[in-house]
Amino acid sequence: MEIQDYTGMWATADGYIRQKLLVDGRYDEARGKRKSAYTGRYTITGKHIDYWDDSGFTADGEFIDNNILKHGGYIFYKENTKN
């Protein structure tokens, strides 16, 4: 898989957490009405993603198929951008 296969918007089933993976290796995460609650950079190796938040913490996750991301105790689903 290429990084482009994973870029785009990922959201929890209830839409409360929305994380946009940008093609330049940055991410922007919204929580509820709080836009850009977390921002930082990420790298993807295989199906594994590592995050380095601008505030100093790190996190990681795993992609399951192309449409599911398990990260931080949450399950994210890739939003369809072909509208």
Side-chain angles (χ1 to χ4, degrees), residues 26-38:
R26 301 278 303 164
Y27 71 90
D28 191 320
E29 183 175 300
R31 298 229 173 183
K33 294 182 181 184
R34 193 171 153 212
K35 295 182 179 180
S36 299
Y38 298 100

Side-chain angles (χ1 to χ4, degrees), residues 2-11 18-30 38-44 47-52 60-63 66 68-71 76-79 81:
E2 303 275 334
I3 191 171
Q4 295 86 345
D5 296 322
Y6 297 116
T7 58
M9 185 64 73
W10 294 80
R18 297 166 316 283
Q19 183 181 94
K20 188 165 192 177
L21 299 180
L22 306 167
V23 295
D24 65 356
R26 301 278 303 164
Y27 71 90
D28 191 320
E29 183 175 300
Y38 298 100
T39 59
R41 65 184 178 89
Y42 71 89
T43 60
I44 297 172
K47 291 187 174 273
H48 183 85
I49 185 169
D50 287 299
Y51 299 89
W52 292 270
D60 66 346
E62 295 291 327
F63 292 98
N66 292 353
I68 297 174
L69 167 60
K70 291 185 177 183
H71 158 63
F76 292 81
Y77 301 90
K78 189 165 187 184
E79 290 186 354
T81 57

